[in-house]
Amino acid sequence: MKIGQRLLVFMVLIAMGAAYFIANQLSFTVVFQDIPFLELFLVFLLALYSVMFHLVLHELGHLFFGWLTGYKLLYLQLPFFQYDANSKTPTRKNRQSPGLAGQCLMAPPTDKQPYLLYLAGGLIVNLLTAGFLYGGAFFLEGKWSVFAFIFSLVPMYLFLANALPYGLSDGLTISQISKSPLEKQLYFKQMTVVALLKSGKTYGELDADYFTEVKSDQAQTSLLGEYLVLIYYQQLLEKLDFPEADKILTSLTSKESYLKSPYVRIIMVEKVFCNAIFGRKDAVQADMTIIEEYPALKNYYSRVAIPQAAYALFIEKDIEKAHQLIPTIDEKAERLFTKAELELNRQLSEWLKSYTLTV
């Protein structure tokens, strides 16, 4: 979230507080006199922890309004819980999408293209919850009024944080789709591709029509097109078409703004991979400098074996280290990754193994 957006959220919450205190003729002195400090502290603590509850409500809001408009559930990720509609088995969270505390992925209906209610569903639920608690604070009396006000700030914060256009927020997606028919087309192609991958398709099995805008460079200029660019890039990797994959990635990263992309973790590790296999030592070192500067990038890179193996093999010339880093597909991996991810890992692992035999 940008500084200006953070300031806006802060100002709205301050305005809510000012309106509540003025309307009820309250002051901080009165509040602390009427409510024991320990009790007030515990309420603030509970309010902070209630963010998990409101995150769940947010994702269930997407689920409910998506269902109302014909969407079909693919995958639901909550703070401590995951549900894959394909396997129909709930599990404890063991793998999280980078940067996301929760996620409700749904496949759009094939006969129409609704998007507003599904994308705004979480916002609607957070706003209604905040309104219910904040409104209740004006009707309740004594400490219960103060408690309702305090608890209303959390869902209002989540509403504002997700409504503002930045990162992977619902507000950004809605604003992008409303800009042009191209953005809307890219969004629905993205959602359809997600559904196909969740259903068990590999990258190589995806139809070429989904990547028309990628091949014409239209997708590279759109935030909603970045996902399709990366999926097409992975399709090329699965086919071991490294020159074309490198060309696509270079096109995506031709502007410095890619560092602000919600997919920056993936982009950076793929830059390391491509620069490594083509022997671009200076470029790889520049990539690694950026990764080392940001803990989130460094943590993600440490968990992705293929780029590390490529770096060890082609840049460090350490064949033994590369062999140790090349991932093996075991039962745990089969449970954690999609068929597309597993197939791509198999292809790249086999390629790296075969390449080490020729060195």
Side-chain angles (χ1 to χ4, degrees):
M1 195 185 298
K2 296 179 181 178
I3 294 177
Q5 293 172 332
R6 290 181 185 275
L7 182 61
L8 176 60
V9 172
F10 180 73
M11 289 175 63
V12 170
L13 297 180
I14 290 295
M16 287 175 60
Y20 170 75
F21 273 80
I22 292 171
N24 290 278
Q25 298 181 335
L26 290 174
S27 67
F28 284 107
T29 303
V30 172
V31 170
F32 281 108
Q33 285 177 346
D34 292 346
I35 306 174
F37 174 78
L38 180 60
E39 189 174 354
L40 198 60
F41 173 76
L42 289 175
V43 168
F44 269 108
L45 196 62
L46 286 172
L48 288 175
Y49 276 100
S50 74
V51 68
M52 295 297 180
F53 173 73
H54 293 293
L55 280 171
V56 171
L57 288 182
H58 180 92
E59 299 308 329
L60 292 179
H62 286 301
L63 179 63
F64 176 72
F65 285 100
W67 173 75
L68 278 183
T69 49
Y71 280 70
K72 183 180 178 182
L73 179 64
L74 298 172
Y75 174 79
L76 180 64
Q77 175 179 297
L78 300 176
F80 304 104
F81 168 86
Q82 292 174 329
Y83 177 76
D84 190 323
N86 185 45
S87 62
K88 293 182 172 56
T89 53
T91 59
R92 291 181 62 187
K93 182 188 294 186
N94 47 27
R95 183 169 177 256
Q96 179 174 321
S97 301
L100 296 177
Q103 190 177 35
C104 177
L105 285 175
M106 303 185 78
T110 56
D111 57 336
K112 50 187 176 178
Q113 292 188 328
Y115 68 90
L116 186 57
L117 276 178
Y118 165 58
L119 290 173
L123 301 176
I124 293 170
V125 170
N126 287 149
L127 184 60
L128 288 176
T129 306
F132 175 77
L133 290 169
Y134 187 69
F138 288 86
F139 292 96
L140 296 171
E141 296 181 355
K143 65 181 181 180
W144 298 109
S145 173
V146 176
F147 295 166
F149 163 68
I150 292 172
F151 275 96
S152 74
L153 297 178
V154 175
M156 179 56 71
Y157 173 81
L158 286 178
F159 166 76
L160 294 170
N162 282 284
L164 291 173
Y166 75 98
L168 286 169
S169 73
D170 301 320
L172 178 67
T173 305
I174 293 171
S175 67
Q176 289 293 312
I177 294 174
S178 63
K179 281 184 178 181
S180 69
L182 172 63
E183 301 290 348
K184 186 176 181 181
Q185 184 175 358
L186 289 171
Y187 167 76
F188 280 100
K189 280 191 174 184
Q190 170 182 324
M191 297 301 287
T192 303
V193 167
V194 169
L196 290 171
L197 293 176
K198 286 292 182 183
S199 70
K201 293 285 187 181
T202 65
Y203 297 120
E205 292 172 339
L206 296 174
D207 195 278
D209 290 343
Y210 294 119
F211 307 112
T212 304
E213 292 79 12
V214 178
K215 296 174 184 177
S216 64
D217 287 338
Q218 288 178 291
Q220 282 83 332
T221 61
S222 165
L223 289 174
L224 295 181
E226 287 184 348
Y227 176 82
L228 291 173
V229 173
L230 289 171
I231 294 299
Y232 182 57
Y233 165 83
Q234 289 167 319
Q235 185 182 78
L236 292 170
L237 288 187
E238 186 181 305
K239 297 177 181 178
L240 304 183
D241 188 350
F242 299 126
E244 190 62 26
D246 182 58
K247 179 182 175 183
I248 290 295
L249 192 63
T250 300
S251 177
L252 181 63
T253 59
S254 58
K255 296 180 181 178
E256 244 182 77
S257 58
Y258 79 87
L259 289 172
K260 299 178 182 179
S261 167
Y263 303 103
V264 65
R265 293 172 175 87
I266 299 171
I267 292 171
M268 286 307 304
V269 298
E270 296 304 332
K271 281 191 75 202
V272 170
F273 176 77
C274 280
N275 284 327
I277 66 174
F278 284 103
R280 296 189 286 254
K281 189 172 183 178
D282 290 343
V284 173
Q285 296 302 332
D287 294 336
M288 292 305 301
T289 299
I290 295 174
I291 289 172
E292 288 291 332
E293 286 178 359
Y294 297 94
L297 292 179
K298 187 176 180 180
N299 180 57
Y300 185 74
Y301 176 77
S302 68
R303 295 186 284 116
V304 185
I306 293 291
Q308 293 183 64
Y311 182 86
L313 180 60
F314 296 103
I315 301 300
E316 296 178 322
K317 308 297 183 183
D318 191 333
I319 299 175
E320 184 178 347
K321 182 179 179 181
H323 268 299
Q324 293 173 350
L325 287 168
I326 294 173
T328 56
I329 308 301
D330 53 20
E331 289 185 6
K332 183 179 179 181
E334 295 279 359
R335 293 193 304 270
L336 291 179
F337 297 96
T338 65
K339 183 179 177 181
E341 292 168 328
L342 290 170
E343 181 59 29
L344 177 59
N345 269 275
R346 285 192 184 97
Q347 293 284 2
L348 294 179
S349 295
E350 290 301 318
W351 178 76
L352 285 170
K353 287 176 184 176
S354 64
Y355 195 92
T356 58
L357 297 176
T358 64
V359 178

